[in-house]
Amino acid sequence: MPVNILMPALSPTMEKGNLARWLKHEGDQVKAGDVIAEIETDKATMEYEAIDDGVIAKIVVPEGTQDVPVNQLIAVLAQEGEDPKTAASSAAAAAGKGAAQAKAPAAPAAKPEQRPEPAARPAAAPAAPTSPAAAPASAHGATHGANRIFASPLARRLAKTAGIELSRIRGSGPHSRIIARDVEAARSGQGLAPAAAASFALPVPSDDKIRALFEPGSYDVVPHDNIRKVIARRLVEAKLTIPHFYLTLDCNIGKLLAAREEINAAAPKDKDGKPTYKLSVNDFVIKALALALQRVPDANATWTESGMLKHHRSDIGVAVSIPGGLITPVVRHAEAKSLSIISNEMKDFAARARARKLKPEEYQGGSSAVSNLGMYGIKDFAAVINPPHATILAVGAGEERAIVRDGKIEAAWIMSVTLSTDHRAVDGALGAQLLGAFKALIENPVTMVV
């Protein structure tokens, strides 16, 4: 039975594409994974690969044709044992129904030999749902059958030379195929997936399926703005690609609270009679984490596939809640700044963040981060790492708790903190050292100014 090759959807928004060039011609033998054509979109030129073996029986859309609708028939492939001429003779009739197939790819009236493919799958050939050869593309290299990964011959050679597993490369070609530029990107540390995450794709229920669970009229639909979409994408990326590891301990902040009160009381006044600064507990936390990273420099790192980035400075991102989400402005050189400078800088960042007036260089990068929910009364929690950071410190509320000291029960101000680490860069022992250094500083704030 001939296989219809359709114009692929190379992006979620693609409706039409240009057939730039045919790399295979009528009568040519092709194997699954061979690049058969180049497709132009509004953003790039992509290689289109076959996912079935056979012979190109008929080219329906000639190269150079522009604005070809997605799912329109562009060629017919004769499978093994088929007569290419017979397959080609059916191409003309099939081509006339291309537009109808694009609108209703699964219509019952479609003839079996046409087997049109759903619009969301830019595959070279459709297949029955029960066929193992029709396994959906993975999140990275597309698979065919149990272990097959689709990559162009050039991409395979480049990956073999570079010593990179194809299963760890994110494919940008049709149907997530791996092409040459994907391998080049992987060699520079980009577009690589962690080994543990490279072999699976998560099923995501459609909006309609989710809404069907609730009674119509019992909810309002609030469209996502761009910042919420970015936050959602980065959180999913962080949890899927970063192996999180969590460490929690309690800090006695009695000395810190006393020092904070004394420092704020001694703050000089401006011309209006207002204090020039007012320190918060979070200012001490930022400073303590910055100094702890200097004391444990191996934890002041960022993971990349090609090597570890060891940072010289402690640039600390601080999560700030804004309408519709959050943003993380970065206090640069926090280890070298005084508590009053950090305090005033954070007040300025927070005000401009809520007004959405931060510059990109003010919230990008950084070597670690702080997320503080203590002001909401949260006792403890675990924060999601914000790439490219390898650590983030989640800070809970300071509260009076009963502790045992020298065999006696007494009250003390305790604050719980949880360090989330990227286990690839900061393992358990190293994370424990960092958290221990933070505890020593936060419990003895005088050491922050020495």
Side-chain angles (χ1 to χ4, degrees):
M1 185 174 294
V3 174
N4 287 347
I5 301 175
L6 311 178
M7 171 60 75
L10 301 177
S11 72
T13 58
M14 177 177 166
E15 296 181 355
K16 296 180 180 180
N18 301 335
L19 210 163
R21 186 159 66 108
W22 281 107
L23 302 178
K24 296 291 184 179
H25 304 91
E26 291 183 4
D28 286 355
Q29 185 81 31
V30 300
K31 294 183 178 180
D34 286 351
V35 180
I36 60 174
E38 292 180 351
I39 307 295
E40 290 181 351
T41 70
D42 57 343
K43 297 179 181 179
T45 299
M46 315 278 283
E47 294 179 340
Y48 187 18
E49 302 177 27
I51 64 168
D52 282 286
D53 298 344
V55 175
I56 300 292
K58 180 69 176 179
I59 290 178
V60 179
V61 176
E63 63 181 37
T65 303
Q66 298 185 351
D67 296 332
V68 182
V70 167
N71 274 356
Q72 178 174 315
L73 182 70
I74 58 175
V76 175
L77 183 74
Q79 293 183 304
E80 185 177 354
E82 274 189 295
D83 180 8
K85 293 183 179 180
T86 303
S89 65
S90 66
K97 299 180 181 179
Q101 290 175 359
K103 292 182 180 179
K111 295 181 180 180
E113 64 270 21
Q114 292 173 325
R115 291 161 50 200
E117 180 165 296
R121 292 184 56 201
T130 55
S131 171
S138 74
H140 311 295
T143 59
H144 188 271
N147 301 305
R148 182 70 181 274
I149 297 173
F150 280 108
S152 68
L154 176 58
R156 290 182 181 275
R157 289 196 298 272
L158 292 174
K160 183 177 180 180
T161 301
I164 301 173
E165 295 180 16
L166 286 172
S167 62
R168 300 191 63 197
I169 301 176
R170 292 186 176 91
S172 65
H175 206 40
S176 299
R177 300 305 191 271
I178 300 167
I179 54 180
R181 66 162 172 255
D182 300 325
V183 181
E184 294 298 331
R187 291 179 65 180
S188 64
Q190 301 175 356
L192 271 174
S199 61
F200 66 87
L202 295 178
V204 179
S206 67
D207 289 2
D208 290 340
K209 287 185 177 180
I210 295 174
R211 291 176 185 176
L213 300 174
F214 306 97
E215 183 181 347
S218 66
Y219 58 83
D220 295 323
V221 178
V222 181
H224 301 305
D225 60 14
N226 287 335
I227 190 169
R228 176 54 66 182
K229 291 177 181 178
V230 171
I231 290 171
R233 185 177 69 247
R234 287 179 63 82
L235 286 174
V236 172
E237 175 190 349
K239 292 298 286 186
L240 286 180
T241 65
I242 297 176
H244 283 58
F245 187 81
Y246 307 101
L247 300 159
T248 302
L249 54 70
D250 295 333
C251 301
N252 189 328
I253 59 171
K255 292 181 180 179
L256 183 153
L257 295 177
R260 172 177 172 264
E261 186 175 348
E262 290 184 20
I263 294 171
N264 285 341
K269 305 294 192 294
D270 60 18
K271 61 182 181 180
D272 297 325
K274 296 180 180 180
T276 54
Y277 57 81
K278 185 177 181 180
L279 303 185
S280 68
V281 172
N282 206 47
D283 299 328
F284 285 88
V285 170
I286 296 167
K287 179 73 173 182
L289 178 58
L291 291 174
L293 288 168
Q294 294 297 308
R295 293 186 178 186
V296 189
D298 285 345
N300 195 18
T302 293
W303 171 270
T304 72
E305 294 294 335
S306 58
M308 198 80 73
L309 307 184
K310 295 294 184 70
H311 302 291
H312 303 152
R313 308 182 327 217
S314 296
D315 295 338
I316 307 298
V318 183
V320 174
S321 178
I322 62 175
L326 58 85
I327 197 167
T328 310
V330 179
V331 180
R332 311 284 176 182
H333 294 275
E335 79 283 1
K337 290 179 176 176
S338 67
L339 287 163
S340 60
I341 291 177
I342 290 174
S343 179
N344 288 334
E345 200 168 298
M346 277 309 306
K347 287 180 175 63
D348 174 61
F349 278 152
R352 290 193 291 118
R354 294 185 180 103
R356 302 199 177 188
K357 292 184 178 180
L358 287 178
K359 300 175 183 177
E361 59 268 23
E362 292 177 319
Y363 57 80
Q364 293 177 346
S367 56
S368 187
V370 169
S371 179
N372 192 337
L373 292 178
M375 66 286 293
Y376 297 103
I378 302 301
K379 181 180 179 180
D380 61 73
F381 67 103
V384 180
I385 295 170
N386 183 31
H389 303 163
T391 55
I392 185 170
L393 187 70
V395 182
E399 58 182 6
E400 277 194 300
R401 302 182 199 169
I403 65 169
V404 178
R405 181 178 294 166
D406 297 328
K408 297 180 180 180
I409 298 176
E410 59 184 59
W413 280 93
I414 304 297
M415 178 179 73
S416 297
V417 296
T418 298
L419 182 71
S420 303
T421 74
D422 179 344
H423 206 282
R424 300 169 302 177
V426 180
D427 59 23
L430 186 58
Q433 292 179 45
L434 177 62
L435 207 51
F438 172 84
K439 178 181 174 71
L441 287 158
I442 207 74
E443 291 188 339
N444 298 280
V446 68
T447 59
M448 297 189 204
V449 295
V450 174

